[in-house]
């Protein structure tokens, strides 16, 4: 497994917001200290970390797919979640299919349009995968805080 770490949430337009600005759901982590929405320690607000998990050739799970899952949960629509991330419906649907195929059970349940108007929602497995991923982001940020600060302190002063 390869882990590239940069924790943040992609905002509309592709900009990455630090976790301290994103306001994740409080129930994502049982341990208050590991919740990604806890304020970033002083002097760390400008640092962003992205966590990407590679499960061999089967699946890459990172912030984009996690944000897409959250968007589907919030909007009830694959298309709307994709639009909020400046992503085409085709790309959003492709990512959902990739995730649904990679796991034992689908993460997203979609309903065709018609009288009910269609839509999509996270399955229980989808909610579980998303919660684990967000919890892991918080754990990595908390555990790596001192190392991240040490690296930051070695940077050349770029202020003018």
């Amino acid at each position: 497994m390869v882990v590239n770490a940069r924790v943040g949430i992609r905002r509309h337009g592709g900009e990455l917001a630090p976790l301290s600005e994103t306001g994740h759901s409080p129930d994502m982590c049982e341990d208050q200290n590991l919740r990604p929405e806890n304020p970033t320690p002083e002097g760390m607000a400008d640092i962003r970390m992205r966590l990407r998990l590679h499960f061999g050739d089967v699946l890459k799970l990172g912030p984009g797919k996690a944000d897409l899952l959250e968007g589907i949960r919030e909007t009830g629509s694959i298309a709307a979640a994709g639009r909020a991330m400046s992503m085409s419906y085709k790309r959003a649907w492709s990512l959902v299919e990739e995730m649904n195929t990679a796991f034992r059970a689908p993460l997203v349940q979609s309903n065709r349009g018609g009288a009910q108007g269609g839509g999509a929602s996270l399955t229980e497995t989808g909610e579980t995968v998303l919660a684990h991923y967000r919890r892991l982001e918080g754990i990595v940020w908390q555990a790596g805080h001192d190392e991240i600060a040490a690296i930051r302190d070695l940077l050349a002063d770029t202020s003018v």
Side-chain angles (χ1 to χ4, degrees):
M1 172 177 9
V2 176
V3 177
N4 299 324
R6 194 171 149 211
V7 176
I9 300 302
R10 199 162 296 287
R11 288 183 176 153
H12 182 69
E15 177 186 336
L16 195 68
L19 286 173
S20 60
E21 297 177 10
T22 60
H24 283 314
S25 167
D27 59 354
M28 283 298 176
C29 295
E30 290 85 20
D31 182 341
Q32 282 278 35
N33 296 322
L34 297 180
R35 287 187 185 160
E37 77 273 13
N38 279 348
T40 304
E42 185 154 341
M44 300 286 276
D46 61 334
I47 297 173
R48 292 172 176 83
M49 192 170 71
R50 291 175 52 110
L51 176 67
R52 185 173 320 281
L53 305 173
H54 294 239
F55 296 93
D57 293 334
V58 176
L59 176 73
K60 293 176 188 164
L61 183 62
K65 287 177 182 163
D67 290 350
L68 181 60
L69 291 173
E70 280 185 345
I72 292 167
R73 180 202 304 140
E74 292 169 9
T75 64
S77 165
I78 295 170
R83 275 193 306 274
M85 296 175 68
S86 300
M87 182 186 301
S88 72
Y89 174 76
K90 182 177 180 179
R91 177 70 177 145
W93 182 249
S94 172
L95 292 174
V96 166
E97 285 183 326
E98 181 183 327
M99 289 185 285
N100 279 351
T101 302
F103 287 91
R104 284 186 225 151
L107 304 189
V108 176
Q109 171 76 41
S110 62
N111 302 311
R112 293 200 180 270
Q116 286 79 22
S121 59
L122 296 189
T123 64
E124 185 177 333
T125 302
E127 291 285 355
T128 300
V129 167
L130 180 58
H132 283 302
Y133 179 83
R134 292 302 188 205
R135 208 172 295 122
L136 184 56
E137 284 181 321
I139 291 167
V140 170
W141 182 254
Q142 291 293 97
H145 173 267
D146 291 343
E147 282 25 298
I148 294 166
I151 292 168
R152 180 207 54 218
D153 291 346
L154 295 171
L155 292 172
D157 184 13
T158 57
S159 62
V160 176

